[in-house]
Amino acid sequence: MAAYRHPALLPLLLSCVCLCGFGSVLGLKDASGPAEPPNPPVLRAVDPPAKNAPAAAAAAAAAAGASQPRRATSWKLSEEAACREDLSRLCPKHTWTNNLAVLECLQDRREESDIAPDCNHLLWNYKLNLTTDPKFESVAMEVCKSTINEIKECNEEERGRGYLVSCLVDHRANVSEYQCNQYITKMTSIVFSDYRLICGFMDKCKDDINSLRCGSINVGHKDVHSQGEVIACLEKALVWEAEQQDHVHPIKEECQRAILRVAELSSDDFHLDRHLYFSCRADRERFCRNTQAGEGKVYKCLFNHKFEEAMSEKCRDALTTRQKLISQDYKVSYSLAKACKVDLRKQRCSLDANLPRAREARLSYLLLCLEAAVHRGRPVSGECQGEMLDYRRMLMEDFSLSPEIVLHCRTEIEAHCSGLHRKGRTLHCLMRVGRGDRSTTVDSICQSALQTLIQSADPGADYRIDRALNEACESVIQTSCKHIRTGDPMILSCLMEHLYTEKMVEDCEHRLLELQYFISRDWKLDPILYKKCQGDAARLCHTHGWNETSELMPPGAVFSCLYRHAYRTEEQGRRVNSAEQLSRDCKVEVQRILRQRALDVKLDPELQRRCMTDLGKWCSEKTDAGQELECLQDHLEDLVSACREVVGNLTELESEDIQIDALLIRACEPVTQAYCHVSTVLPFVFHREEVPRPPCRRVDVVLCLSTTVKNDTLQDAREQRVSLKCRKQLRVEELEMSEDIRLEPELYDPCKSDISRLCPNVAFGNAQMIECLKEQKKQLSQRCHQRIFRLQEVEMTDPELDYQLMRVCKQMIKRFCTDADARNVLQCLKQNKNSELMDPKCKQMITKRQITQNTDYRLNPLLRKACRADIPKFCQPILNKASEDSELEGQVIACLKLKYADQKLSSDCEDQIRVILQESALDYRLDPQLQMHCTDEISRLCAEEAAAQEQTGQVEECLKVNLLKIKLEACKKEVLNMLKESKADIFVDPVLHTACALDLKHHCAAIMPGRGRQMSCLMEALQDKRVRLQPECKKRLQDRIDMWSYAAKMAPAEGFSDLAVQVMTSPSKNYILLMIALSVCILFLVGLLCGRITKRVTRELKDR
């Protein structure tokens, strides 16, 4: 009875309905003659079979009786005996006087309430006769006379063919007469109760009804005017056909159009969709009791509650069928067609003669066309955008509304996503499979269908469209993005900025990455990027409209084009043309996208495509956030060329903008803000009107963090300011930067000229260029030399950052240093350098690092820490002359060596100097002062020993033996210093120690090493005639004594302290001390004797 309560029904409702007559029984106005059928009705081909003939005859008789002149003006359905009982049982008494009200009451009865067969047939014949009365159009002309005259199109329609009523319905909005409006409205409930009353429907769909067996509900089986089930059957067949690869029972095109037209005509009032009305009556009362019927409001209300637990399955199925019809033809939605009618015409989304009707009418086509207008900044009414939002959300909630998804993703759904059909879960499950989070991936056709659906729904423009994402991320949005307006596209950017942070929840993280995977593959799906860059993309990348594609520039390639123009226009020897550059706003958005993509390899389509094989080969176990990119960077030289190129480009970009290095920012966020003054919040994310700040370079942040870690280490801070997580990530960053000098602008820029001059043929990768500069350090320019020194200082503090050392000695580290701390790797390698298992290349690299360390105490963290009090105490003059960023060429270490020989160092510093002395005694190259001053003498006197490079101290021994032949005073002084040092500790003299090893074991085992104690023990043994030393040891000892004697003559004691040290370390120490004691005693006795001999003073003189 909604037709009475709601006169404003669908303006298109009867445009294809063949209504040819109407009588005064409507109660609108008395006609000149009775509204009676001229003859008893003749049943059509689809009428009941012969066994029901008696009942049909009775009904015909009743109808014929109703047509007698005596009841022409006052005949009522309620007076007929066939329906009196049902009428009194089912219909309110106030409706009995109106035939149409009785008809609607009996049609809309509850499903379980049956009416008598005779009454069924009486109603059917009445409706049939009513709709075929030739006087019907004349009534329309009388009731709507003034309206017809006002509407030119209707006035010109041919009379007698039913077109007049269709025209009036099409211009319903212009009908102002109340009675005319009622006249058009009240016939709808009659026609839609039975498909056989709809003009042309039976003719167009008869064959399909029979082939699909949709005509089983005929007279005698069920209510004769409940033929809505037949239309429902055809509708289900229509949507099922769209989801099938092979059309077993294809529906004829004219029947398809008829089905969609019927659905369109019933889109105003849900009462007119008889199948849905009966299926959802209880649910309408439960969820939409206060929703007024008409204008599709009840449909929309039921759609919104479709996935509620209390919704019946029967109603949910009927609603899904209705939604699928809307997907095929947007006009099946009354509210959408009405709200967007004007906008469709303005944006030229209406019928196109060059497009097939099926495609042009699809919901996805409408959405794409209007979304393109919105993205271009063209005006689209708020009402239309609201309707679009509802239907985009509908597409995201239920995958089955997209026939392409059902058709092409059926295998993936059955294998991975069964039972997850509600609230968008199936769609997100498919996204997860398509993203590659599971062992299998989706078919390319399914992937394409998913991408198309995402573009149609456009969830990037409003996160609320994706219900699964909205529910999962609600808490994160409320806490971290609450300052952004609800529905703003920046919500997604805000969520991405908080990815992998403590504020992010796991479910939101998964839903967000699943959606971003598809958004990242079409630049148009990021509305902010599209808005800022559409002009640049059209100018530089030759793109088309938002909803258009090009084989030459597919959606995934557009961002690559923008990226190239943002970062790759500055070619060597070529001046950048301003016309080839991106606008400032577009470049900011490109940077934002790059920063988001750095969080996950799968968000970078080009990287994932080119590196798919390498990811599986090298990084299959790296599944945590950011580990895949780190893994690819670690294996850069092992990657295929295409993958190596894109990974190298991304790594270089990270060096230019710290925000792109998302893992470092996430790990070190508090420290960078506190100590490095770097904000991890992107200014354009939340304050888009502000002028964007220039990006902070990665090298600046890494240097800041490295300095903080180094200072805390050297100062023995109780608690490190840089967290363990940040320190780990910092090492990775520093190692990456050390691999290619171009990734460190602070180092690369000052050294460009040196590179071209000293290392023109050296490759940049594998830290080869940096190693070349280190080897040519003395020839570098001042600025480059300073930067190299700083780099070496950092590498010595943490050897893991020394790319060449870690690469060359990788296997040796695994063999000897698996349990060593990362910062002690070099120390561990030095201890095992002379092992027989040591790799020669690694041994050579260790020697290089030892040479570097001994050039400056600042490059030896252990020495610097152990001698922090001794250095300023004994070597301050050297420090005063030192430059901050250049080596001291071993001067401080040489100073400490002398103090070691004088036994003046603290115990910790003495231990470290002893190690250095032992190492340099075996290899003269580890003594910078000796090498610097004695290079020529070594070439002249010890060329053979130096060429052998046996690192057994033979060169030092050669210099000692040839001390008298050395001409250069500076070299002679260094050799004398070596002799002095060896006197303090036998371990410093490897040749002597090797010769006397057995004697030390036999005669001096109880003597502690150091401070010359074991050397003194051997000297006493040499003088003791009872002790027999090994001939080689005896010979070497005698040679040393001669050398020390010569050294004492050549370098006499400079003070009392030096004299004391020489006495205490002399082989004749006991003899000298005895003679000194004897001299003192003699002086004492002489004093006593001399005192007695002198004149005594009398007591009287004393007492004066």
Side-chain angles (χ1 to χ4, degrees), residues 455-467:
Q455 185 178 2
S456 300
D458 195 15
D462 191 336
Y463 72 97
R464 296 172 296 176
I465 292 171
D466 190 340
R467 183 171 178 179

Side-chain angles (χ1 to χ4, degrees), residues 499-501 594-601 624-631 633 654 657-670 672 680 698 701 705 723 725-730 732-733 736:
L499 194 65
Y500 304 128
T501 65
L594 286 173
R595 290 163 183 175
Q596 292 179 1
R597 291 186 174 188
L599 296 170
D600 195 314
V601 169
D624 291 343
Q627 284 189 346
E628 288 177 315
L629 181 56
E630 281 187 4
C631 173
Q633 291 170 332
E654 287 180 351
D657 187 353
I658 184 61
Q659 296 289 356
I660 295 178
D661 193 348
L663 292 180
L664 178 63
I665 287 296
R666 295 291 181 259
C668 304
E669 180 176 2
T672 53
T680 57
R698 179 171 70 162
V701 177
L705 294 173
S723 66
K725 180 180 179 182
C726 179
R727 293 200 301 272
K728 288 182 178 179
Q729 186 60 36
L730 180 61
V732 174
E733 302 297 329
E736 286 178 5

Side-chain angles (χ1 to χ4, degrees), residues 861 902 1083:
D902 296 341
L1083 288 173

Side-chain angles (χ1 to χ4, degrees), residues 304 391 511 841 924 967:
N304 292 335
Y391 283 96
R511 302 295 86 76
K841 291 183 179 179
Y924 75 98
K967 299 177 180 180

Side-chain angles (χ1 to χ4, degrees), residues 871-1064:
I871 292 173
K873 181 179 179 181
F874 300 113
C875 310
Q876 189 62 44
I878 300 174
L879 298 179
N880 294 337
K881 299 177 183 178
S883 173
E884 183 180 353
D885 297 320
S886 61
E887 294 87 340
L888 298 172
E889 298 299 340
Q891 295 180 63
V892 172
I893 296 178
C895 169
L896 293 174
K897 287 179 180 179
L898 292 175
K899 299 305 174 184
Y900 172 83
D902 296 341
Q903 303 177 5
K904 294 180 178 181
L905 300 179
S906 62
S907 58
D908 290 342
C909 185
E910 190 176 90
D911 292 340
Q912 290 300 319
I913 289 296
R914 183 185 300 115
V915 173
I916 292 175
L917 286 169
Q918 292 172 2
E919 292 173 348
S920 59
L922 294 170
D923 191 342
Y924 75 98
R925 294 173 299 174
L926 303 185
D927 189 335
Q929 289 291 307
L930 179 67
Q931 187 179 20
M932 181 172 63
H933 296 302
C934 296
T935 302
D936 294 339
E937 299 292 351
I938 292 173
S939 301
R940 185 171 64 87
L941 302 172
C942 310
E944 186 177 346
E945 289 83 352
Q949 293 187 351
E950 294 181 355
Q951 299 183 13
T952 55
Q954 295 301 318
V955 174
E956 291 85 342
E957 185 67 17
C958 173
L959 289 172
K960 292 174 185 177
V961 171
N962 293 283
L963 179 60
L964 297 176
K965 298 179 183 179
I966 295 176
K967 299 177 180 180
L968 297 174
E969 290 298 324
C971 179
K972 186 178 291 186
K973 183 179 179 180
E974 290 300 323
V975 177
L976 292 174
N977 288 338
M978 277 199 305
L979 290 170
K980 183 178 180 181
E981 293 157 5
S982 65
K983 201 172 182 181
D985 196 333
I986 193 173
F987 287 98
V988 179
D989 192 338
V991 175
L992 179 62
H993 182 263
T994 303
C996 298
L998 190 61
D999 295 298
L1000 281 172
K1001 184 177 181 182
H1002 288 166
H1003 307 297
C1004 306
I1007 306 299
M1008 293 293 293
R1011 296 187 178 271
R1013 288 186 286 263
Q1014 289 189 335
M1015 185 67 75
S1016 298
C1017 174
L1018 285 176
M1019 291 297 181
E1020 291 174 0
L1022 179 63
Q1023 293 178 358
D1024 192 345
K1025 296 181 179 180
R1026 296 172 298 175
V1027 177
R1028 300 187 65 178
L1029 299 177
Q1030 295 293 324
E1032 183 66 19
C1033 178
K1034 188 174 181 179
K1035 179 180 179 301
R1036 292 292 181 184
L1037 271 175
Q1038 192 61 54
D1039 291 341
R1040 293 297 183 269
I1041 293 172
D1042 296 338
M1043 291 178 187
W1044 291 332
S1045 299
Y1046 178 77
K1049 294 177 183 179
M1050 295 298 297
E1054 298 177 357
F1056 181 79
S1057 60
D1058 286 346
L1059 178 62
V1061 171
Q1062 286 187 10
V1063 170
M1064 294 304 295

Side-chain angles (χ1 to χ4, degrees), residues 476-496:
V476 183
I477 294 171
Q478 293 300 322
T479 55
S480 303
C481 310
K482 59 183 178 182
H483 50 286
I484 305 178
R485 179 175 55 85
T486 302
D488 194 294
M490 290 309 299
I491 290 284
L492 279 182
S493 254
C494 175
L495 291 174
M496 287 299 296

